[in-house]
Amino acid sequence: MGFNHLNMQSIKFEDKWKLISEKSSDDEFSLFVPKGMKPRTQRQINFFWYYKFFENLIKDKNYKNGLELGCGRGTMSLFLNKYDGIEVALLDISEDAIKLAKENFSKYDARAEFFVGSSDSIPMPDSSVDIVYSIGLLEHIDNYDVTIKEGYRVLKLGGVMIHLNIPEKWSAQNINNLYKWFLRLLSGKFYPPKDYYRNNDTPEDYIEKVKNMGFKKVYAVNVNPFPIFVPISMKTDKAIAKLYNFTLWIRKIFLKYPFKTNYTLSQGHFLVGYK
């Protein structure tokens, strides 16, 4: 991830990948959902439906390759590779994240290129990829203009940029803070909220910066996935996931993309632009 000014908050954000690698159960080690299977956990549901947004954008576009910035586990790249045959490259500033992504790709017999480095200086040539994308990256960067500029540089003409941004704002996800408060009350244990940096830019702020970098047909889609309740037992997690899957089946009857919502209720937004 392209941090221009590393402070203690951003360092903690990078270090989370080491903790995830050490503590995740098999169900949470990878959030990828193989073809033909339903999401089994809360986080798998979110990533599966994030992918469905991508799927609608790249369908019939003849895109061949893509680059994920701030890849973390590399879940979105796994979806694009295994579902759509996209050749993918993954970049993250955290060696632990890249290690985890490699293990996930190996688990599903998938191939990719992996780079440890900053999104401020992408180690790829100009006009070399069809899709540049990230899941929860730009909001952690003070000055994400450089990352957007680099993404524009490596995109081919006609290529698409897709960023899921989750800035600091109220959303239904705050219900989990209430859940943690109850856990503290019952157990006496302290469950801290996320303490790494997030900006509070609006979709309009992001759109303006992306347009200034030269992107065309720029727009944002507000989204609000289901609240993720943690910490929680895996048995309970899977029970909640079944409820969420049923709810999505109902919402899909009325909405083309069931995570879509208005800004007030949204947790974040997909930012889309074409070169």
Side-chain angles (χ1 to χ4, degrees), residues 33-49:
V33 181
K35 273 189 173 183
M37 294 183 64
K38 286 186 177 181
R40 290 158 47 90
T41 69
Q42 297 176 82
R43 289 189 175 93
Q44 286 178 0
I45 284 175
N46 284 356
F47 265 94
F48 177 79
W49 284 98

Side-chain angles (χ1 to χ4, degrees), residues 22-64:
E22 292 174 349
K23 295 183 178 181
S24 289
S25 68
D26 187 58
D27 286 284
E28 291 293 273
F29 179 77
S30 172
L31 304 183
F32 176 68
V33 181
K35 273 189 173 183
M37 294 183 64
K38 286 186 177 181
R40 290 158 47 90
T41 69
Q42 297 176 82
R43 289 189 175 93
Q44 286 178 0
I45 284 175
N46 284 356
F47 265 94
F48 177 79
W49 284 98
Y50 293 158
Y51 162 71
K52 298 300 283 185
F53 184 88
F54 277 66
E55 182 184 55
N56 288 330
L57 285 180
I58 68 175
K59 189 186 304 179
D60 302 323
K61 293 291 179 63
N62 202 33
Y63 290 147
K64 302 295 185 185

Side-chain angles (χ1 to χ4, degrees), residues 5-268:
H5 304 290
L6 286 176
N7 54 30
M8 287 305 294
Q9 289 182 322
S10 61
I11 291 171
K12 290 177 182 177
F13 180 72
E14 292 171 31
D15 286 349
K16 77 173 188 175
W17 297 115
K18 180 179 176 64
L19 296 174
I20 288 172
S21 181
E22 292 174 349
K23 295 183 178 181
S24 289
S25 68
D26 187 58
D27 286 284
E28 291 293 273
F29 179 77
S30 172
L31 304 183
F32 176 68
V33 181
K35 273 189 173 183
M37 294 183 64
K38 286 186 177 181
R40 290 158 47 90
T41 69
Q42 297 176 82
R43 289 189 175 93
Q44 286 178 0
I45 284 175
N46 284 356
F47 265 94
F48 177 79
W49 284 98
Y50 293 158
Y51 162 71
K52 298 300 283 185
F53 184 88
F54 277 66
E55 182 184 55
N56 288 330
L57 285 180
I58 68 175
K59 189 186 304 179
D60 302 323
K61 293 291 179 63
N62 202 33
Y63 290 147
K64 302 295 185 185
N65 61 350
L67 167 66
E68 182 170 9
L69 304 177
C71 66
R73 291 180 178 89
T75 306
M76 187 53 64
S77 291
L78 260 178
F79 275 110
L80 293 173
N81 182 254
K82 299 298 286 187
Y83 278 57
D84 303 288
I86 301 292
E87 296 178 5
V88 292
L90 292 79
L91 173 73
D92 203 294
I93 200 170
S94 167
E95 292 185 7
D96 292 311
I98 293 296
K99 177 177 179 290
L100 188 59
K102 286 180 176 179
E103 291 171 354
N104 282 327
F105 267 70
S106 177
K107 177 177 180 178
Y108 293 103
D109 193 27
R111 295 185 178 182
E113 287 187 272
F114 299 93
F115 301 98
V116 176
S118 170
S119 58
D120 288 356
S121 181
I122 298 172
M124 299 183 75
D126 296 354
S127 304
S128 57
V129 294
D130 295 307
I131 317 165
V132 171
Y133 53 100
S134 70
I135 302 295
L137 169 67
L138 296 185
E139 71 271 16
H140 299 299
I141 305 174
D142 280 325
N143 177 19
Y144 50 86
D145 303 60
V146 183
T147 294
I148 293 172
K149 185 177 181 179
E150 274 289 273
Y152 185 86
R153 178 184 67 79
V154 301
L155 264 183
K156 298 175 185 176
L157 190 64
V160 64
M161 170 209 70
I162 313 169
H163 292 296
L164 174 63
N165 303 318
I166 309 174
E168 183 69 35
K169 73 178 291 291
W170 182 92
S171 76
Q173 305 301 321
N174 291 90
I175 295 173
N176 192 50
N177 291 334
L178 180 62
Y179 170 67
K180 288 180 178 179
W181 180 82
F182 277 114
L183 289 182
R184 288 199 302 270
L185 195 65
L186 294 174
S187 67
K189 295 181 179 179
F190 179 63
Y191 298 97
K194 296 175 182 176
D195 58 354
Y196 40 81
Y197 169 78
R198 291 179 188 268
N199 65 47
N200 57 5
D201 287 6
T202 65
E204 289 73 22
D205 295 327
Y206 282 95
I207 288 172
E208 182 180 359
K209 291 191 176 186
V210 167
K211 285 183 175 179
N212 289 340
M213 294 297 165
F215 282 92
K216 310 298 182 185
K217 293 195 296 182
V218 181
Y219 62 93
V221 176
N222 292 303
V223 295
N224 194 28
F226 293 109
I228 294 177
F229 293 98
V230 291
I232 205 165
S233 72
M234 187 53 62
K235 182 178 179 179
T236 305
D237 194 304
K238 290 180 179 180
I240 293 172
K242 287 182 179 180
L243 174 63
Y244 285 173
N245 278 324
F246 176 74
T247 304
L248 283 166
W249 180 77
I250 298 295
R251 286 178 62 84
K252 194 74 169 61
I253 298 173
F254 305 98
L255 295 171
K256 184 177 180 180
Y257 182 62
F259 276 1
K260 186 176 181 180
T261 187
N262 57 39
Y263 176 72
T264 302
L265 296 178
S266 69
Q267 179 194 20

